[in-house]
Amino acid sequence: MMPSGASLCNICGEQLVLSENGELFVACHECSYPICKACFEHEINEGHKVCLKCGTPYEGRTNNDNVDDEREDDDDDIMVHENPSTMASQINNSEDGGGLHARHISTVSSLDIEEVNEESGNSKWKNRMKGWKGKGKGKGKGKDKKNKTKKDAPTAENEAAVPPEQQMEEIRSTDAAALPLSVLMPIVKSKLAPYRTVIIVRLVILGLFFHYRVTNPVESAFPLWLTSIICEIWFAFSWVLDQFPKWSPVNRHTYIENLSARFEREGEPSGLASVDFFVSTVDPLKEPPLITANTVLSILAVDYPVDKVSCYVSDDGAAMLTFESLVETAEFAKKWVPFCKKFSIEPRAPEYYFSQKIDYLKDKVQPSFVKERRAMKREYEEYKVRVNAMVAKAQKTPEEGWTMQDGTPWPGNNSRDHPGMIQVFLGHSGARDIEGNELPRLVYVSREKRPGYQHHKKAGAENALVRVSAVLTNAPFILNLDCDHYVNNSKAVREAMCFLMDPEVGRDVCYVQFPQRFDGIDRSDRYANRNTVFFDVNMRGLDGIQGPMYVGTGCVFNRQALYGYSPPSMVNSPISSCCCCPSSKEVSRVSRDGKRAELDAAIYNLREIDNYDENERSMLISQMSFEKTFGLSTVFIESALMENGGGVPESADPSMLIKEAIHVISCGYEEKTEWGKEIGWIYGSVTEDILTGFKMQCRGWRSIYCMPLRPAFKGSAPINLSDRLHQVLRWALGSVEIFLSRHCPLWYAVGGGRLKWLQRLAYINTIVYPFTSLPLVAYCTLPAICLLTGKFIIPTLTNVASILFLGLFLSIIVTSVLELRWSGVCIEDLWRNEQFWVIGGSSAHLFAVFQGFLKMLAGVDTNFTVTAKAAEDTEFGELYIIKWTTLLIPPTTLIIINMVGVVAGFSDALNGGYESWGPLFGKVFFAFWVIFHLYPFLKGLMGRQNRTPTIVILWSVLLASVFSIIWVKIDPFVNKVDSETIAETCVAIDC
């Protein structure tokens, strides 16, 4: 990792010095690989005439007149069989892949480079070179050194002595190293060009439309007209924020077989990088242990080397039920994991595997499969009975608290005041499956909690797992899952490694995000639980810019990115400013970047930290102020300084590591550190996922969207109306919190130049979309007002105006059609997304705006509770559960007042004659637009048997009635008649 302040030699580590003309010495003009002049001359003297990074020959750059003829002769021998292009690609793979735990493949070149060691100045490479030259001179000692023909003979003999099988294996490995791990496939121009054209045309039409609307006010209904103009301008602004980040969508394809060919050669240890899995749970009564157990089992059975997998389960509620269920799960895993791998079953979560309504014998050829499957299903049923028995027992907590088997009280009886707890169930503890094979590591973690400390909910729990895993396993990559998201594709980790372990693609990748897919949702997806438009359209559009957003689960992280480091390609990037005189914010930003440069430099200088004894190491770490950044743990700091996760020392005492792991999850560990500010999951919002990904991409990292044919992960979604609205409320509240924080994308890191402007538009859209609820509610109320008062927001249409309206509607339709064409999303998903945009905007988003301002400005935390009623015991029975919540009132009120308005409008038209039917058409169309969008909400209220909570009807009818009566009483659009006119009228009346 190169510091951003100064360039250092990659061999000796010394700072590059300037020459007399004030310029840095450059050895290779192709890639500018940083090497000092002394090391360059030493390389030439040693016979190395090619760049260590790109493989370009140092032609004309020896600058050494004292090289004797013998050295020149040796150099000739070295370059005889070398293919510069092969060597260039090989050294590139070694250089870049070394930072990604890539196993370097040997080539058929005579150099046979296996590894480039950046830390020790390529000493292994030099040793291999010397050994090769020794073989070349083996039989030529004592003879004339100038006789080149005699020198070439031993080399040919050595090459001939290589067995043909080994030569073929080397050729195959070379071919495998050259094969790509992934490919980027932009959308074809025949689909993308018309899409972009229509977007521009729609933008032009919008400009002409607003010109017409603003220059043609409706004097008879000016307040209504003005309200509609403001709402329409906001809707257009929201459309721009949502549409233009989808300007360059892309597709990606991975080659898992090439990954195996490159990093898993037969007879050699696997070269794949290690992965730490994080699973978070809080309350086992709300998040059933059986669901969490299925997630854990699917992780333990994943198709990946077992010594490379570790599963950490965070129990933030310190529940003994979660602990005991993991004990049972660890025992069942000893039978389940070998069964999954023996028969290659999918998915590897037993609950979902056994519930599949498919032909489970398809593609199965082993006769024993049916018998073993039947036995495994019986084992799983017995396992479920044991877990469910524990759940039933946990419904009532004893007065004295829970007690463990040895008679001691459970440390987590008080979930808000308990010590940290760690238990290693599987892995290196000696536990093996029923076939004697090693199992992945399974670790239970419950961080310490004490009154008076801020624990930061899920973000704090994830950061505790980062530190624990760094001390115990320190894998270079981290995959986090919610407790209800299981591994649906056993090769999902390999899919991510095709990007993260690719030397060309993975250098600057902070995470690989998978789309969320869900089980248990009805076919019509009434409340858009699948979020298909977001995951299949918006996220693919972002992948063509700087990468998708982090959505909280199903994401594989680069551990170094979580530590707040800058990507390798950005550490030397100049910091640009948008003005000549930087502001105080710009100065503070430069200061922060300066501190980052110091940190990077310190990390670089501590690469040889293993050479220090314990006292020197602790002193050096303290001097470098790492404790102020990472906290008071020497073990964790050393693990953080290992580039890309170097693992833990084999000589480390396990008991010492467990003790240190307990220390790093103490409740006061993060005080006065950068955790939650610059390191790990970022605090400050209930949607910590958006904030964490945003901070990474502001540093210059990019992310990648991986969409395998078989979904990588699947989860469960709240499918009834009330739960869905509360889920959306939480997301919207998090966006409002980010909007009111210092991390607001409108101004955070604007001058850094590392976040692309289209990417910034996408992040701005994620924080301002809840505010669309205000104009949306107003706009959905306008049709009812127009029908009740006889006014309208649009004047009498001219031919030009009619063309503009028609062009606007057509552009909207064509944009949607073309979007469906390149994304593959069906029209029903798009329509459901539009419907729930209105439903959520008029309820959850509206409450989130007010709740967010109350919480951030006044410190008032308002919670909208949900009370569940009994569900019918049928498929999708939960869909028909009726739950009372305040969020149901605004949409219900909108439906009622629009229905009342339609009735009133038709009544007036019947009384007014045929001339009234023309204006009525536009008003009724407007009202039905609102009703059709709110129809799933209305259907959800009625339930399966048209049962609606009485309080919802009472509140909605009351509000609609009061609004109508007050409006009729005030009626601001009726011309006021003065008293003189009234008097004259009264005189004319013949009493």
Side-chain angles (χ1 to χ4, degrees), residues 985-991:
T985 305
C986 291
V987 170
I989 296 176
D990 186 2
C991 297

Side-chain angles (χ1 to χ4, degrees), residues 632-703:
L632 299 173
S633 172
T634 304
V635 176
F636 173 77
I637 293 174
E638 289 188 25
S639 70
L641 298 180
M642 295 179 182
E643 293 188 13
N644 299 289
V648 295
E650 295 182 359
S651 59
D653 183 8
S655 60
M656 183 272 294
L657 292 180
I658 292 293
K659 182 179 179 181
E660 194 66 24
I662 292 289
H663 169 59
V664 298
I665 59 173
S666 59
C667 55
Y669 183 85
E670 294 182 356
E671 287 189 346
K672 298 180 181 180
T673 66
E674 295 297 321
W675 285 100
K677 302 173 185 176
E678 299 293 334
I679 299 176
W681 271 257
I682 306 301
Y683 304 149
S685 172
V686 295
T687 52
E688 72 289 331
D689 45 6
I690 297 293
L691 202 53
T692 302
F694 172 67
K695 291 273 288 186
M696 290 182 181
Q697 293 186 338
C698 283
R699 297 189 190 103
W701 292 94
R702 68 154 292 124
S703 55

Side-chain angles (χ1 to χ4, degrees), residues 52 80 114 122 125 159 226 296 324 418 520 563 649 665 813 876 884 902 955 982:
L52 297 178
V80 167
E114 288 185 350
N122 306 299
W125 184 81
E159 289 181 353
L226 183 61
V296 172
E324 293 292 342
H418 64 85
Y563 288 159
I665 59 173
I813 295 173
F876 307 120
W884 158 244
V902 170
W955 271 100
I982 296 176

Side-chain angles (χ1 to χ4, degrees), residues 52-99:
L52 297 178
K53 182 176 183 180
C54 68
T56 304
Y58 292 135
E59 296 181 359
R61 292 303 313 275
T62 58
N63 298 325
N64 189 353
D65 298 333
N66 297 326
V67 180
D68 54 14
D69 294 338
E70 296 181 5
R71 182 67 61 189
E72 292 178 0
D73 293 340
D74 291 342
D75 293 342
D76 292 338
D77 288 340
I78 293 173
M79 301 300 293
V80 167
H81 301 287
E82 182 57 50
N83 185 343
S85 61
T86 303
M87 182 176 178
S89 62
Q90 181 57 41
I91 299 183
N92 271 329
N93 289 339
S94 301
E95 175 66 22
D96 298 338

